[in-house]
Amino acid sequence: MLYINCPHCGLRSQNEFAYGGDATVKRPELNKEISDQEWDNFVYLRKSPRGKHLELWHHISGCRQWIKVERDTSTHEIFKTYKANEAIE
Amino acid sequence: MSQDFRLDNVGMVNREKKISFKFNGKKYFGFEGDTIASALIANGVHLVGRSFKYHRPRGFFGVGVDEPYAILQLDRNNERDPNIRATEQEIFEGLEVKSVNCWPSVNFDIGAINNFLKMFFPAGFYYKTFMWPPSFWYKIYEPFIRMAAGFGEASIKHDKERYEHKYEYCDLLITGSGPSGLASAYAAAKNGARVILAEDKPRFGGSLLTSDVNIGNQTGVEWTEKIIAELKSMPNVTVKNRSQVFGYYDHNMLVMSERISDHLPKTQKYLPKQRLWYIRANEVLISSGSIERPLVFGNNDTPGVMLSSAAKEYMKVYGVLVGKKPLIFTNNDSGYETAIEFKKNGVNPIILDTRSNPSSDIITEAKNLNIEIRFSYVVVAAKGYKKVKSADIAKISDNKKELFNIENIECDCICVSGFWTPSIHLASQSGNKSKFNEKIDAFVPDKSKQKENTIGSANGIFTLEETIKDAFDKGFDVSNKITEKNNKVSAPTVVEKKSTDHDKFWCVPLPKGKSYKRFLDFQNDVAVSDIELALREGFRSIEHVKRYTTLGMATDQGKTSNLNGLQLVSDIENKVVPQVGHTTFRPPYTPVSIGAIVGREVGKHSKPTRKSPMHSWHEKNNAVFVDAGVWLRPRYYKQGNEGLFEASKREAKNVRQNVGVCDVTTLGKIDVKGPDAAEFLNRVYTNAWLKLPVGKARYGVMLREDGIVMDDGTTTRISENHYHMTTTTAQAANVLSHLEYYLQLVWPELNVNVVSTTEQWAGAAIAGPNSRKLLMKLFPNLDVSNEGLPFMGYKEADLFGVPAKIYRISFSGELAYEINVESDNGYFMWEKIMEVGKEFQIQPYGTEALSTLRIEMGHVAGSELDGRTIPYDASLEGLVSKKKDFIGKRSLNRSAFTSTDREKLVGVVPIDKTTSIPEGSYIVKDPKAKLPNPKLGHVSASCWSVEYDNPFSLAIIKDGKNMIGQKLFAMSPLKNKTIPVEIVSSHYVDPEGKRVRS
Ligand SMILES: [Zn+2]
């Protein structure tokens, strides 16, 4: 079970969190004309990298904040965690 | 029965306390502190089971977790506990165990015919034999395999035992209380670290309980007692026996199973059977020791052949002789310790040492004790069927290929020692890729992957002096990193006699003309010939050889077989062991009972039960409840002999004719507040929200980004910047997460806050033509006329002194209102509604009637919004704004969503107006069409229309709009029904929606 350092609450066990997928995906702006391809990329297409991955976790049984976690998908090492709107290094 | 093999005054069992137990129905006696294994051996019983494949007789091989044979089934309090290792289970008064995998009895087992048919059971037998013809699988092969497979029977009854979970944090977890565990725990604890020391056996000390050593001028046992006593007295130390750390998971989370009352006669109330510890450790020292490696020779699975260290432990710990004519077969000094122990207890052993000319203090001691020792000697084959009676032995050439002078000597047990295998399982589970140590011919942990270090013999350190010194250092170093203290205690001096030299020889060749089975994996019956066959058939990767032969795949995870298997493969392939590689260890290290994993989360405790504030009223009024997620909701209120059908029909009818009241507390409620709330709702919902006035409610639909409907509900503007959102009961939590996602990550510039208020409000829906009259009486000072409180209007008022919110919304399609009060006033509100409503023939109605009412109105719910429908499919396209953008809108333009033949919501009525259509039925054109019959769609919800007194269903079918008026068929292959139906509008009752506006 992962040990995730919530930037708001501190170290908490994984079972307090819900996984939220790739944190680098950016939703297209509202009212913007975009191609089917662009929209499909946003809705469906995700990379599944082996290694470093910036991902979203929702501290659902804690502070209810969405946070960003930089994790190695093969070793589960967590390098850094960020608040939702924090700049990523 | 007398305990013929019990030694006087030797061992650690409590001679004062005699205990009786039953094995296969027969009564035996042992002493407190005995395991089933030690007590049975004391009684001369060695036949305890039958092997997995050939049903060969099985005895005892080890003395602990590594035991591959003696797996029994425990019957207690009418419950069955399969997969009990006789070497671990302690006896208690009244214990009853029996053998598994044998029928009709362990003495006469019909399956043993497999042993004589063994030429037909080679490696890969199952893969080869049970392939053809496919039609044989269900009726012949599978039942046969099921009957033959498995150890013991699981109980199908509810397990009444109590299991608990515990979460613990520590600086240092130490897994095993042998010399390295004790030393490191002591050093770390003295340096201020919070330590947990776990021992899987009842007694602490590990090898110190049986080794003839001296530590700091004390025996191993004395030193152990001293250290444990001191550790127990320290507030920063937790010492646990009967506790197996079986799993090493991510981020230094380890799981330990503590057997609390498995060894006690009757489960005491409130005392759990087992407790599962989830331990988050800052650092871990793995001190799980090593397991003696067997030697491989003919019939080496015969009862009476066992590990020499086990024979020694049975003597020293339990005071039990495994035999009175022992043969010791060894390739190292460990066998000598066992031989000397036999000699000390008046039994004359013979030692066969594969080495030609070894020397050490302990060999000298054995010689001085006049123990017969034959060097360059091996056991060729054990003789005897249910117990060893003699052995063929022979001299072996220096190249270990030729056998000379084969002779038969009498013996009643053969104690084997093929040196030691470090238990690297936990290190491997943590991700540590082990390395091969040629000095000890075994794998040891390599680089630490997590915060783990392996110490003592688990790390391949086989001298006590080095073990103790290294463990004191590691304990200090690790604690020093955490506590930053410098209290170093010095390691004691150590005296030990045996050397760590061993012969690189494990598998005795077959004499000419003999075809003895030589077993590698004792639990899965994998023999040398099986590995040879697998290699001949072209399997090369050790992972493939393992799966093909099932080597090491039994419940003991190959604790005694892995290395001998690898050694054999490398010998045949002319490789060295590390080139062959080895398989990965996975948790659990030892079998864990399902009960312990589940813990207290059983039945109703597996999730919380949520009840509305009116729950006790429903109970008092004969409500029959239904699970709605974790909520309990009244399904119907039973009157007299009514069943579900009659009651729900009565309740629904009363809503259409008079007035009904329904507990709607469970609906999700979310407060949306902030200056940008309107803009936010406008982006979340498909319809327009910017112009909704204060005091008005609106129905809304929200989508996921992929265009699928996520949820629906009404949201009311309470004040300028305050909205009250409702969601369906099932989606409440998901909707909140969804809103938080957009507010925190996508549009953080919006100044809006959301919070769940589901539990703050109790809700009652009053519906039916009399509901306004009822409302007038409930709120005499409020203008509730159609003008004063119009459809989708909102008012705050006083309900007999209690503040209330009134929403004029309707799910039933009738004139209806929803009243919310603070939860604490819910019961009061409900009673008042029932009291005042009496004169208007009010009746409470449950979810079944609610469902009937919404279905005949054509209102969609979960069965239509099933994660596959877009607004068009559910006839909600009128709610989709063309002008503004919202979540998921762009997906609605995708070609699959704009195609004309999408499945769309319609109504379905049986032609005969009497046959109910099963939910899930397919709608087809021709019921006799060739299978698979092309389906037009499916029936999503069915009810008995109270308005027209005939069955009515909703269905989602292809090109539904144009199908209205057509005669089709509803087919339910599951219920074997084909019903002629007519497709009608989904708005079956009051299609113009006059009633809700009346
Ligand atoms: Zn948090």
Side-chain angles (χ1 to χ4, degrees), chain A residues 1-3 13 27 30-31 34-36 39-40 42-44 56 58 60 64-66 76 78 84, chain B residues 169 249-251 253 280 683 705-706 736-737 740-741 744-747 885-888 890-891 894:
Chain A
M1 201 180 331
L2 306 185
Y3 214 17
S13 266
R27 190 192 191 282
L30 287 167
N31 300 308
I34 56 168
S35 68
D36 282 353
W39 183 253
D40 283 0
F42 158 65
V43 176
Y44 299 107
L56 291 170
H58 192 193
I60 204 154
R64 293 210 62 96
Q65 294 300 302
W66 286 86
H76 297 311
I78 291 176
Chain B
Y169 298 81
Y249 300 91
D250 294 311
H251 295 185
M253 160 75 81
R280 188 78 74 173
R683 297 178 185 185
E705 292 286 18
D706 63 3
L736 184 64
S737 290
E740 286 166 338
Y741 174 88
Q744 293 171 26
L745 291 159
V746 184
W747 303 310
D885 200 359
F886 53 84
I887 294 168
R890 182 65 182 76
S891 287
R894 308 291 286 115

Side-chain angles (χ1 to χ4, degrees), chain A residues 6-10 12 16-17 59-65 67:
Chain A
C6 173
H8 308 280
C9 309
R12 292 288 193 277
E16 290 185 13
F17 295 84
H59 198 184
I60 204 154
S61 302
C63 61
R64 293 210 62 96
Q65 294 300 302
I67 61 167

Side-chain angles (χ1 to χ4, degrees), chain B residues 525-696:
Chain B
D525 277 4
V526 181
V528 171
S529 53
D530 294 314
I531 302 289
E532 289 168 346
L533 179 74
L535 293 170
R536 273 205 306 280
E537 291 186 357
F539 290 91
R540 286 294 173 273
S541 152
I542 190 65
E543 294 282 355
H544 292 162
V545 172
K546 169 182 162 177
R547 277 159 185 80
Y548 192 58
T549 61
T550 72
L551 175 80
M553 287 173 69
T555 62
D556 66 347
Q557 283 202 345
K559 292 185 178 69
T560 50
S561 64
N562 275 331
L563 271 179
N564 281 341
L566 284 173
Q567 188 70 51
L568 181 68
V569 172
S570 49
D571 287 351
I572 297 172
E573 300 269 278
N574 271 323
K575 285 180 181 166
V576 288
V577 173
Q579 281 179 327
V580 175
H582 75 101
T583 56
T584 314
F585 295 106
R586 294 195 172 81
Y589 174 63
T590 51
V592 185
S593 62
I594 301 285
I597 292 168
V598 175
R600 298 293 303 279
E601 293 170 18
V602 178
K604 273 285 167 200
H605 294 295
S606 62
K607 53 188 188 329
T609 300
R610 297 176 84 178
K611 297 172 181 173
S612 92
M614 290 84 98
H615 187 84
S616 59
W617 189 95
H618 306 321
E619 273 180 331
K620 272 181 259 168
N621 288 273
N622 297 325
V624 175
F625 292 93
V626 62
D627 290 322
V630 294
W631 287 96
L632 276 182
R633 296 190 73 179
R635 193 172 186 194
Y636 61 97
Y637 299 82
K638 192 179 167 81
Q639 286 186 5
N641 292 327
E642 279 178 344
L644 168 70
F645 181 71
E646 296 81 23
S648 61
K649 217 161 110 175
R650 167 182 53 74
E651 291 169 7
K653 211 169 192 171
N654 192 60
V655 172
R656 295 266 183 253
Q657 289 171 352
N658 300 305
V659 61
V661 59
C662 182
D663 187 346
V664 292
T665 303
T666 63
L667 280 186
K669 304 172 200 74
I670 298 169
D671 247 21
V672 183
K673 276 187 175 175
D676 298 321
E679 172 61 24
F680 180 55
L681 293 174
N682 209 41
R683 297 178 185 185
V684 167
Y685 284 123
T686 59
N687 48 344
W689 284 81
L690 295 178
K691 288 177 186 151
L692 180 72
V694 172
K696 278 284 197 181

Side-chain angles (χ1 to χ4, degrees), chain B residues 308-440:
Chain B
S308 91
S309 57
K312 186 175 62 169
E313 191 164 331
Y314 283 118
M315 282 186 275
K316 292 201 84 163
V317 173
Y318 300 102
V320 168
L321 285 174
V322 299
K324 292 179 181 175
K325 276 191 176 171
L327 195 58
I328 314 284
F329 180 26
T330 186
N331 73 357
N332 70 99
D333 276 4
S334 295
Y336 288 80
E337 288 187 317
T338 307
I340 289 168
E341 201 56 37
F342 271 117
K343 188 79 183 178
K344 279 187 194 162
N345 287 305
V347 174
N348 283 319
I350 300 173
I351 298 175
L352 306 184
D353 193 329
T354 66
R355 298 172 292 183
S356 55
N357 189 23
S359 73
S360 70
D361 289 354
I362 202 163
I363 295 175
T364 312
E365 186 183 346
K367 283 178 180 163
N368 291 341
L369 285 167
N370 289 323
I371 292 174
E372 182 181 346
I373 307 170
R374 301 198 194 183
F375 295 111
S376 291
Y377 250 82
V378 296
V379 175
V380 175
K383 300 282 168 164
Y385 183 55
K386 288 177 190 167
K387 179 76 198 292
V388 172
K389 290 199 174 100
S390 67
D392 282 354
I393 63 169
K395 189 155 179 88
I396 192 160
S397 63
D398 283 347
N399 68 2
K400 307 285 198 235
K401 302 245 194 273
E402 318 296 330
L403 299 169
F404 311 99
N405 311 342
I406 297 181
E407 63 177 300
N408 184 269
I409 60 168
E410 213 182 310
C411 61
D412 63 357
C413 66
I414 303 173
C415 306
V416 296
S417 177
F419 207 49
W420 296 86
T421 308
S423 292
I424 59 166
H425 301 68
L426 286 175
S428 173
Q429 288 175 19
S430 94
N432 190 318
K433 304 268 182 241
S434 49
K435 62 182 178 210
F436 192 74
N437 179 337
E438 278 177 40
K439 226 177 102 196
I440 60 165

